[in-house]
Amino acid sequence: MADVRAGLDEALEAAHLPALLAALVHVTGDPGWLKPEWTPTYTPLARNDPGIPEDEQAKIREQAKAAILSHLDAPAEITNPDLPLLRRMMDFVAGAPIPEGYADFLIDELAISGKSTKDPQFDQPQLQEAARRMKVLVIGAGMSGLLTGIRLSQAGVPFEIIDKNPEVGGTWFENTYPGCRVDNSNHMYSYSFEPNHRWPQHFSTQPVLLEYFRGIAEKYQLRKHIRFETGVESLAWDEARGLWRVELRTKDGGRETLEAQAVISAVGQLNRPRYPQIEGVGTFEGPAFHSAEWRHDVDLAGKRVAVIGTGASAFQFVPEIAPKVAQLKVFQRTPPWGLPVPHYHEDVPEGFKWLLEHVPFYDKWYRFWLFWMTTEGFLPMVKSDPNWDGGPQAVSGENLMLREMAAQALAAQVADRPDLVDKVIPQYPVGGKRAVLDNGVWLGALKRPNVQLITDRIERVTPKGVVTADGAEHEVDVLIYGTGFKASSFLSSLKVKGRGGQDLHETWAGDARAYLGITTPGFPNFFIIYGPNTNIVVNGSIIFFSECAVRYIVGCLKLLAETGARAMEPKREVHDDFNRRVDEANQGWAWGSPHVTSWYKNELGRVSQNWPFGLIDYWRATLAPDPKDFILERVPVTAA
């Protein structure tokens, strides 16, 4: 206890005070912690500043210390506040009234009762028996595939997971470039039911994330269900038998056919490297590779290196390699918006970890604050105003305000390099493309004497280097492509034949669509996680979407068990109406602006990636499948 007392003051200095005050309501049963003078006032893009006067913050810490020590000395029963009080607590932590419709949603995310709508509900004996007779195949053992395995295990549904890699983790196994890390706070980028109070940093690196998912696979005993180093060649729906025939390429190069009542794709989007459409790609004589396929056998020390692309991956690896190379030339087509996040590379203080672990509900309220302030609370700043006439650099007054704040932060970093100002401040609206998190290391790298940022258009790649539109040839020793992924080529690695032999990719014709991003007419019992229009831009963690999608998919399996149907697929009119609403809504955001091109749009110019509504809307839409949305195919009755 002496050590705790000694470290508690330091822990409280690191605490997010509004979240701590909400937690103390649980610990003490006293709503008096929600004092009006302690209500936070947040500033956009400011980190962990509650806007509470310093003298009041000192009072909070003093009183919180006494309450925590009292709890440790004599733990009392933890209070579960009633709904009106929970609403007050939410408004308090958010610093503003939470819209009425969000209460159930946020309470479910907090899992106040210890349960969540995402927990499978196969309680009746007849459902359990029907579940045991199912066979489900899951493609991919990354974040979504492991999550699916956990939920299917809990539902009692037999399953097998197929993965091309020799280990779990998906993108966190494959991407090993220097500086690779998550750009969503780890206290939110983690399963809601599996928090990690020991994250070493706020935004963890690839090895740490891979270790988290490995631990998940061990805890839930998923490895016995996974077949590694195995590829899925094709899927074909057998109409006569009402099941999928799945052709596999095994580890030894052989072929094998599996059968499953349902197939769930958890292959993700950011796993197929995209190379630029530039003349001469592939002709460079030295080492040339994509950042997603990093060549660790290539020593960059003392080399002349060219990097094509300045997206999220380059933003991470360029600062890592810049000090090691002799010369670095960074070729940029469009600069990314860097949003100020000073703690992007910072360690989580030990005291903060202690609070997460030992103060009941502090972790949940901190996650709630992150969830609200970096998700729904951020959305109004990237919403288009139909009456906006302030030019193409913004889409509304609020978006302009955000632009000015971010631009000032970037300009301040290159005040000593005026030649870089126009090159690093984007001309498109914030939210139009994927933003990156900026703590100064990117622009610090570009300002190094051995680094050159080149914005002239690339004409071609040559055996010796890169030729730009001004005719200059930039000779280098190593060429690295940081040009992103084929994100809009959904499921391009799979051949899928549905009802009547129709081909999924021919059906999509380069414009992938699915109902709720999950199901497609003509492809019974085929479900997609992280499918079309389920990406987020500024509002949240993809893990949230995966948890919602898996809840819905398990609900579909439950519907099959309840009805005795052997197959289900969405009605065409339901699918089409959903996609019409999605397309209309996407036009109302910064990423839907006609002045912006990005990987959020497919080759036809449609936003095929992004969810254009609030997170609450996806949460509600995926609570459970509505039988009226589907065609349910019954088992044929044979004549006696």
Side-chain angles (χ1 to χ4, degrees):
M1 182 62 74
D3 290 342
V4 172
R5 292 178 185 275
L8 192 50
D9 288 331
E10 183 179 348
L12 290 171
E13 285 295 327
H16 182 263
L17 294 181
L20 181 63
L21 290 167
L24 290 174
V25 174
H26 293 274
V27 171
T28 65
D30 180 10
W33 293 98
L34 311 179
K35 294 183 179 180
E37 61 269 30
W38 291 351
T39 302
T41 303
Y42 302 114
T43 301
L45 303 183
R47 161 67 186 164
N48 205 22
D49 179 6
I52 302 170
E54 288 296 330
D55 58 335
E56 293 298 327
Q57 290 192 39
K59 291 179 185 177
I60 293 172
R61 293 188 176 97
E62 180 182 357
Q63 294 178 35
K65 181 178 180 180
I68 292 171
L69 290 174
S70 176
H71 169 71
L72 294 174
D73 287 335
E77 183 177 351
I78 300 300
T79 300
N80 277 333
D82 60 19
L83 182 57
L85 180 52
L86 278 171
R87 286 301 317 274
R88 280 185 58 200
M89 295 162 72
M90 289 178 182
D91 293 349
F92 179 87
V93 174
I98 298 293
E100 186 66 35
Y102 280 83
D104 291 344
F105 160 60
L106 293 173
I107 289 170
D108 187 57
E109 284 300 303
L110 284 169
I112 296 291
S113 66
K115 295 183 179 181
S116 165
T117 60
K118 296 170 184 174
D119 301 324
Q121 306 294 327
F122 281 64
D123 300 327
Q124 299 91 339
Q126 65 271 25
L127 283 180
Q128 295 171 355
E129 177 60 30
R132 284 194 292 269
R133 293 196 299 268
M134 291 182 175
K135 171 66 185 299
V136 175
L137 189 74
V138 181
I139 308 173
M143 177 273 291
S144 296
L146 295 178
L147 171 65
T148 305
I150 292 169
R151 296 311 194 193
L152 291 176
S153 294
Q154 293 169 338
V157 175
F159 66 96
E160 186 171 11
I161 300 175
I162 305 296
D163 197 283
K164 67 181 186 300
N165 294 323
E167 181 55 283
V168 301
T171 190
W172 298 114
F173 173 79
E174 296 174 3
N175 284 270
T176 61
Y177 60 80
C180 181
R181 66 175 62 226
V182 70
D183 60 2
N184 190 273
S185 176
N186 257 134
H187 296 99
M188 192 165 63
Y189 188 86
S190 48
Y191 297 132
S192 61
F193 55 94
E194 280 293 343
N196 180 7
H197 298 154
R198 304 300 301 175
W199 289 117
Q201 295 187 313
H202 295 282
F203 299 86
S204 290
T205 58
Q206 175 265 335
V208 173
L209 289 157
L210 180 57
E211 190 60 30
Y212 173 79
F213 290 113
R214 281 173 169 164
I216 292 294
E218 297 296 336
K219 177 175 179 178
Y220 288 92
Q221 301 179 20
L222 295 176
R223 290 186 181 276
K224 63 184 180 182
H225 297 278
I226 304 174
R227 192 185 303 198
F228 292 111
E229 297 182 90
T230 302
V232 176
E233 295 276 278
S234 64
L235 313 172
W237 177 249
D238 186 328
E239 294 191 48
R241 300 172 62 203
L243 51 77
W244 285 96
R245 293 177 56 81
V246 184
E247 300 293 330
L248 304 181
R249 183 184 67 259
T250 60
K251 180 179 178 179
D252 60 7
R255 295 291 188 270
E256 182 179 341
T257 301
L258 295 182
E259 295 181 343
Q261 184 176 357
V263 174
I264 301 172
S265 168
V267 300
Q269 296 179 14
L270 307 182
N271 55 14
R272 296 177 297 281
R274 181 181 66 82
Y275 285 85
Q277 294 181 334
I278 299 173
E279 179 186 344
V281 169
T283 65
F284 182 69
E285 292 178 345
F289 54 89
H290 193 281
S291 61
E293 300 168 328
W294 195 269
R295 289 274 304 276
H296 291 281
D297 61 318
V298 177
D299 185 4
L300 300 181
K303 298 291 199 320
R304 298 171 302 168
V305 179
V307 172
I308 297 178
T310 54
S313 298
F315 209 81
Q316 294 179 340
F317 73 75
V318 162
E320 295 288 326
I321 67 173
K324 304 173 184 178
V325 303
Q327 184 184 68
L328 181 60
K329 297 193 175 190
V330 180
F331 293 86
Q332 172 183 278
R333 184 175 61 179
T334 308
W337 272 112
L339 302 181
V341 180
H343 64 298
Y344 187 40
H345 289 152
E346 288 182 8
D347 293 340
V348 177
E350 288 301 315
F352 192 89
K353 298 176 188 176
W354 186 92
L355 291 173
L356 291 169
E357 183 68 26
H358 296 286
V359 177
F361 285 93
Y362 175 63
D363 64 332
K364 293 186 180 297
W365 284 105
Y366 179 65
R367 183 181 172 101
F368 163 75
W369 173 72
L370 287 172
F371 194 96
W372 183 256
M373 295 306 295
T374 61
T375 60
E376 306 298 76
F378 201 78
L379 274 179
M381 296 184 180
V382 293
K383 179 67 175 173
S384 296
D385 178 356
N387 298 315
W388 173 252
D389 59 0
Q393 293 184 339
V395 294
S396 69
E398 283 195 76
N399 188 245
L400 178 62
M401 178 189 71
L402 180 62
R403 173 193 175 82
E404 291 175 344
M405 293 174 66
Q408 288 172 9
L410 292 171
Q413 294 179 53
V414 292
D416 56 339
R417 285 286 304 274
D419 60 302
L420 288 177
V421 174
D422 290 339
K423 293 182 177 182
V424 300
I425 297 178
Q427 297 305 305
Y428 58 86
V430 180
K433 300 174 184 281
R434 181 179 178 180
V436 292
L437 305 187
D438 172 37
N439 63 343
V441 299
W442 167 253
L443 294 183
L446 297 186
K447 291 194 296 182
R448 292 179 59 89
N450 66 326
V451 178
Q452 182 182 4
L453 178 64
I454 300 170
T455 56
D456 293 306
R457 182 174 55 83
I458 295 176
E459 282 283 340
R460 64 186 181 278
V461 175
T462 71
K464 299 298 182 183
V466 175
V467 175
T468 46
D470 59 0
E473 181 168 14
H474 305 267
E475 294 191 1
V476 293
D477 304 309
V478 181
L479 177 57
I480 304 173
Y481 292 96
T483 47
F485 300 88
K486 298 177 181 178
S488 291
S489 299
F490 290 89
L491 308 186
S492 62
S493 63
L494 299 177
K495 298 177 182 177
V496 185
K497 298 283 189 179
R499 195 179 296 281
Q502 62 181 306
D503 182 275
L504 178 64
H505 295 292
E506 291 178 2
T507 299
W508 280 344
D511 189 15
R513 297 174 182 269
Y515 178 50
L516 298 174
I518 298 173
T519 63
T520 302
F523 296 85
N525 297 1
F526 180 67
F527 306 101
I528 308 168
I529 306 171
Y530 202 5
N533 293 110
T534 61
N535 190 52
I536 67 282
V537 181
V538 297
N539 59 322
S541 161
I542 191 59
I543 291 183
F544 167 82
F545 266 74
S546 290
E547 289 194 5
C548 289
V550 171
R551 172 183 58 192
Y552 187 83
I553 293 168
V554 173
C556 288
L557 299 178
K558 181 181 179 181
L559 181 59
L560 291 173
E562 288 174 332
T563 60
R566 70 175 184 177
M568 61 186 297
E569 61 184 277
K571 295 176 180 176
R572 169 60 64 180
E573 62 270 22
V574 170
H575 169 276
D576 291 352
D577 180 65
F578 166 79
N579 279 280
R580 177 189 56 76
R581 289 183 284 114
V582 163
D583 288 348
E584 289 177 357
N586 263 322
Q587 295 175 18
W589 299 95
W591 55 82
S593 169
H595 305 292
V596 175
T597 58
S598 73
W599 62 267
Y600 297 147
K601 298 178 180 179
N602 61 25
E603 293 182 356
L604 301 178
R606 187 181 79 86
V607 178
S608 61
Q609 290 286 329
N610 299 345
W611 176 252
F613 309 109
L615 296 188
I616 185 175
D617 297 297
Y618 199 71
W619 179 83
R620 282 180 176 152
T622 56
L623 278 170
D626 186 341
K628 295 193 299 294
D629 292 341
F630 290 89
I631 299 170
L632 295 171
E633 179 186 330
R634 310 291 175 174
V635 178
V637 177
T638 58

